[in-house]
Amino acid sequence: SIFSMDNYYFPKSMQQLDSNGIVNFDLPSALNEDLLTTDLITLAAGHPIEVKEYFFNEKSPTILGHEIVGVIEQLGPNAPVKDVRGNELKIGDKVTWAIFASSPEDDLSKAGIPQKAKDLFKYGHEQITDHSHFHGGLSANTVLRKNTPIAMLNNDLPNEIASLINCSVATVAGAIRLAGELKDKTVLVYGAGMLGIIACAMASKMGATNIIAIDENEQRLEISKKFGATQALTPKAASELKVDIVLEFSGAISAMESSIHLLHIGGAAIWVGAVFAQPAVQINAEYLIRNLITIKGLHNYNNEDFINAVNFMELNHGNFDFEQLIKKGFVLDQVDAAFEYAVTHNPFRVSIDLT
């Protein structure tokens, strides 16, 4: 039998901190060795085991969902009068909003990192309390908090596509911002999931001359070609490449380690996918220094990225068939069936119609 060691981590609240005050999942004490041993003995005896699947240490109870689009039904007395692009906001407007709200006066916000700033509130990730609710996408209504970046959308932008903006598309926009100029560059996109597919499309519209999608899934590699990829390769077939920029969305340690060696001198790697507990990445510092390699990490995105994501989808939703990546047909009271479909069929996305 094969099963994930991730399922045997103790909860984050029980983990030890390192000298910098950060949870260290690499310590032997991070794993519940007693439970692991018991399960191994049970399996060796030919009996099945029940394993609670490891997931993010989310607040609970919560309302999941942050890739969402909606219509303004009511404006509070202190509601913003304009969106992030300067459009007047009014009842009936179709809108999307950033995954976060935070203090615009915080130093991190002023430095262009509002997704980590003071008073951070994240839609789809907050705990339901007596005073805080209706803050996740899987709900008929969402109450937007103070300082939430809001964008009014063109009505001709389909809801399913629009819902991608405030996570997938904005995150990719942030990765490309960190990567810098793409015109006439060779860009390697590691991971042909939703973010990787969007990255291929965005890179193609930003003038990259060669866009190489890397994934183990042959079907997704073929799909990437319809979204701007000029080459689609498995990791093994890509071992001799040399590229200017790596956009890493898979989160796989092997991808992060190997992609460094695929960069030209002076190249840049943007790591986005590793948002889960994992062992440390092994990097040769001498190689990094002598080849002037830059590595940058990105979690979520900022207001500029959010605006760029909205602009990109409004301008390009007719150029790429994003709707083919989204399984439709579920409504809010079919959420369990939608989750089951996602687990058994592994689509890029499953949409829930809230109308």
Side-chain angles (χ1 to χ4, degrees), residues 40-351:
L40 288 172
I41 292 172
T42 303
L43 286 172
H47 303 298
I49 60 172
E50 290 187 7
V51 178
K52 184 176 181 181
E53 186 173 357
Y54 172 82
F55 195 59
F56 296 100
N57 291 282
E58 294 289 357
K59 301 171 184 176
S60 180
T62 188
I63 303 174
L64 296 173
H66 56 259
E67 287 190 329
I68 186 171
V69 61
V71 173
I72 297 177
E73 292 188 348
Q74 186 175 344
L75 292 167
N78 298 313
V81 296
K82 292 185 178 181
D83 77 344
V84 291
R85 297 189 291 178
N87 299 307
E88 182 181 352
L89 292 172
K90 56 188 182 300
I91 291 175
D93 285 341
K94 181 160 77 172
V95 296
T96 188
W97 51 95
I99 190 176
F100 63 86
S102 62
S103 170
E105 301 305 317
D106 186 69
D107 288 344
L108 286 173
S109 291
K110 293 177 179 179
I113 316 174
Q115 72 271 33
K116 299 294 180 181
K118 182 181 177 182
D119 300 329
L120 180 64
F121 183 96
K122 296 189 71 174
Y123 294 94
H125 297 269
E126 297 295 331
Q127 187 174 32
I128 298 171
T129 68
D130 291 339
H131 306 289
S132 181
H133 39 72
F134 296 117
H135 42 54
L138 296 180
S139 174
N141 298 94
T142 302
V143 178
L144 299 189
R145 270 54 179 181
K146 181 180 179 181
N147 298 322
T148 299
I150 304 170
M152 187 177 75
L153 303 173
N154 291 339
N155 286 323
D156 64 350
L157 184 63
N159 287 345
E160 290 82 7
I161 295 177
S163 67
L164 299 174
I165 290 172
N166 69 346
C167 184
S168 299
V169 188
T171 301
V172 173
I176 290 176
R177 168 177 54 84
L178 293 180
E181 178 64 59
L182 299 191
K183 185 174 175 57
D184 299 328
K185 298 289 182 64
T186 296
V187 179
L188 185 148
V189 177
Y190 225 119
M194 182 61 84
L195 274 73
I197 295 295
I198 292 170
C200 290
M202 294 186 81
S204 71
K205 290 300 179 180
M206 298 184 72
T209 53
N210 196 15
I211 302 164
I212 307 165
I214 307 293
D215 204 287
E216 298 280 5
N217 188 311
E218 296 281 359
Q219 183 179 8
R220 293 195 169 191
L221 287 177
E222 285 303 309
I223 291 172
S224 73
K225 296 176 184 178
K226 300 177 182 179
F227 289 83
T230 56
Q231 291 179 262
L233 305 171
T234 62
K236 183 179 292 186
S239 61
E240 301 300 321
L241 291 174
K242 280 297 180 182
V243 304
D244 302 302
I245 293 167
V246 170
L247 303 176
E248 205 299 305
F249 298 107
S250 74
I253 291 177
S254 59
M256 289 182 281
E257 291 177 347
S258 63
S259 63
I260 296 301
H261 296 275
L262 303 181
L263 287 167
H264 285 302
I265 291 175
I270 313 302
W271 291 354
V272 182
V275 288
F276 47 88
Q278 57 179 246
V281 175
Q282 301 298 311
I283 296 176
N284 185 307
E286 181 188 10
Y287 182 88
L288 210 68
I289 293 166
R290 291 187 181 278
N291 289 277
L292 286 75
I293 300 298
T294 299
I295 301 174
K296 295 182 181 180
L298 177 73
H299 187 224
N300 298 146
Y301 52 87
N302 65 20
N303 294 13
E304 175 189 346
D305 306 325
F306 179 54
I307 293 171
N308 287 338
V310 175
N311 292 339
F312 175 80
M313 290 305 269
E314 287 187 341
L315 289 171
N316 292 288
H317 71 90
N319 298 323
F320 302 100
D321 189 9
F322 289 108
E323 286 192 83
Q324 79 168 88
L325 308 178
I326 304 170
K327 171 60 180 176
K328 306 177 187 178
F330 297 98
V331 294
L332 189 56
D333 62 1
Q334 296 175 314
V335 166
D336 288 343
F339 275 109
E340 182 64 26
Y341 184 93
V343 170
T344 57
H345 292 81
N346 194 30
F348 287 87
R349 287 293 185 274
V350 176
S351 72

